[in-house]
Amino acid sequence: MTNGQQLATSEKIKQGIVFAVAKLIQILPLIGLTMIHSGQSVASYMPYILFYTALKTGLLFVNSLGHVQNSFKITSISMLLAAGALLLLAISPWLYLTDMAAFILGASASVIMPTYEGVYYHERVVWKWHLMGTEIKTLLAFSLITVGLLTTASHFSYRLVFIVIMLFVLIGFIGMQRFEPFVKQLDESVFVEQTKSLNNLELFVWATAMAFALRYLRLFEAKFVWLLITVAVIGLVALILRVIITRGTKTKMPGWLLVAALINGAFETFLMLYIFVAIQNQSLMIGAYVTYGAGMILAQVIRKSVQGRFSKLSDWQIL
C-alpha cells in the first residue's frame, strides 16, 4: 500500500462502529448505574460514584505501567475488561462485586478512547480517513440502534441494560479485531520496557482519592470526605515537590502549554467546586452544567487562537 490510499467503505464501517463504542462507553453505562439506585443510601449510589471516579483516573494507572507502545493491544484489553465488568454488573447479586465492576468499567472506559486514537493515528500512515457520508451514517445508525435497544431494555431491568451495553462493546471489539494486520502492531509489546513509573502510580492514588471525594461530596455531606480531600491535596503537593527537588526535572514542554494547562485547570476546578458545593437549587445546577458545557464547546473554537498568543514562550524548565 502507498501512503494516502483511500479507505475502503467496509473499513470505514468498521472504524465507525469502533469509534462509536470508544466514544459512548463513557456515557451509556450511566443509564444502568442510575437504575441501580434503590434508595438514598450511600451503598446504592456507590457504583455510580466509583464509575465516575475511575473514569477520571484510569488512564493515570495505565501511564504508571509504562509508555504505551502498542495502542491496539491496550485498546483491545480495555474493551475486554469493560465487557467483563458489564457482565458482572448484569449478574452479580453482591454489592461489593458490583462496586468493583463499576470501578473497573470506569477505568477501562477512560482508557479506550485515547488509546483508540493511537490506533487511528497508526492507521493514517497508510490510509486517508475523513469524516464524510459513510462514517456519519455508520456512527448515526449504530448509535441510534444502541440507544433504541437501551430504551427498550430500560423498561425491564438495569441488568438487561448492562447486557445490551456489553454486546455493544463486544461488537466494537470484534470489529477492531478485523482491522488490517499492520494496524495490530503484532510484533510490538504493550508497553516500552523499563518505563514503569512509581510517581505516576502515586499520582493515580492521590487523584483517585480526590475524584472519589468530590463525587461523593456531590451526593452526600460527610466529614471524612473533607479529610480525604485534605490528605489528597497534601499528597499531590508533596509528590510534586519531591519530584522537583530530587530529580531536577527538565522537560521540553512548551511554555504556552503550561500556561494553557494552568488556566484550564483553574477554570475547571472553580466550576467543579461551585457545582459540587455551592449550588443546591436544581434549576441553578442545570444552568451551571449548561454553562460549563457551552464553555467547553467554545474552548474548542477559540483554542487555536489562544494557543497562538502563547506560542512565543520558551520551553518550560525546572532547574
Side-chain angles (χ1 to χ4, degrees), residues 9-314:
T9 299
S10 61
E11 296 297 330
K12 287 182 178 181
I13 292 173
K14 293 178 200 173
Q15 282 274 17
I17 290 173
V18 179
F19 183 81
V21 171
K23 198 72 174 173
L24 296 178
I25 188 57
Q26 298 188 11
I27 301 172
L28 296 182
L30 295 175
I31 299 172
L33 291 171
T34 302
M35 292 174 67
I36 287 180
H37 302 166
S38 57
Q40 297 298 316
S41 67
V42 174
S44 66
Y45 277 83
M46 196 56 69
Y48 176 87
I49 295 170
L50 289 172
F51 174 80
Y52 252 115
T53 298
L55 198 62
K56 302 299 182 183
T57 63
L59 198 59
L60 292 175
F61 178 75
V62 171
N63 288 337
S64 73
L65 299 178
H67 300 158
V68 174
Q69 182 171 253
N70 191 323
S71 52
F72 184 91
K73 285 184 181 178
I74 197 69
T75 307
S76 298
I77 292 170
S78 298
M79 282 190 174
L80 286 178
L81 284 174
L86 286 161
L87 179 61
L88 194 58
L89 284 165
I91 66 175
S92 172
W94 299 291
L95 284 177
Y96 70 91
L97 283 179
T98 301
D99 294 344
M100 181 181 69
F103 187 83
I104 293 174
L105 177 60
S108 300
S110 75
V111 173
I112 290 172
M113 188 66 220
T115 54
Y116 179 64
E117 287 176 348
V119 176
Y120 160 65
Y121 178 80
H122 186 77
E123 198 172 40
R124 277 193 66 183
V125 174
V126 172
W127 280 326
K128 290 188 295 183
W129 199 91
H130 301 292
L131 192 64
M132 298 175 68
T134 302
E135 293 88 334
I136 293 173
K137 291 175 184 176
T138 303
L139 289 169
L140 182 60
F142 193 55
S143 300
L144 288 176
I145 290 171
T146 304
V147 171
L149 289 173
L150 285 172
T151 302
T152 303
S154 66
H155 291 288
F156 296 91
S157 73
Y158 72 84
R159 298 185 185 278
L160 187 55
V161 168
F162 287 129
I163 290 293
V164 171
I165 301 173
M166 181 191 71
L167 295 175
F168 174 75
V169 173
L170 287 176
I171 289 172
F173 173 79
I174 293 170
M176 195 169 70
Q177 303 313 304
R178 296 176 65 85
F179 285 175
E180 292 293 320
F182 78 90
V183 183
K184 300 178 181 179
Q185 303 169 262
L186 297 173
D187 298 328
E188 296 184 7
S189 59
V190 177
F191 298 103
V192 178
E193 292 184 4
Q194 299 179 341
T195 58
K196 291 183 179 180
S197 172
L198 291 178
N199 285 334
N200 281 339
L201 182 60
E202 184 180 345
L203 177 62
F204 163 74
V205 172
W206 296 128
T208 298
M210 178 67 75
F212 173 82
L214 289 175
R215 181 54 55 177
Y216 191 102
L217 183 66
R218 173 65 186 87
L219 297 172
F220 304 99
E221 179 67 40
K223 291 182 179 179
F224 89 90
V225 176
W226 290 107
L227 177 61
L228 185 59
I229 290 174
T230 302
V231 171
V233 169
I234 293 173
L236 284 169
V237 172
L239 172 62
I240 294 171
L241 291 176
R242 188 175 72 248
V243 170
I244 292 175
I245 294 171
T246 61
R247 297 179 60 181
T249 305
K250 291 185 178 181
T251 178
K252 293 183 178 179
M253 180 187 290
W256 65 264
L257 186 59
L258 174 62
V259 173
L262 290 173
I263 294 173
N264 182 71
F267 174 69
E268 289 210 23
T269 300
F270 169 77
L271 281 179
M272 285 297 97
L273 288 175
Y274 181 69
I275 291 172
F276 287 150
V277 181
I279 300 180
Q280 301 298 326
N281 182 279
Q282 186 176 8
S283 59
L284 289 177
M285 176 71 71
I286 294 173
Y289 272 113
V290 170
T291 303
Y292 178 74
M296 292 296 102
I297 295 173
L298 181 62
Q300 297 305 311
V301 176
I302 66 173
R303 175 172 54 87
K304 289 186 177 180
S305 61
V306 172
Q307 287 179 355
R309 293 179 180 273
F310 293 104
S311 60
K312 303 298 183 181
L313 295 177
S314 60

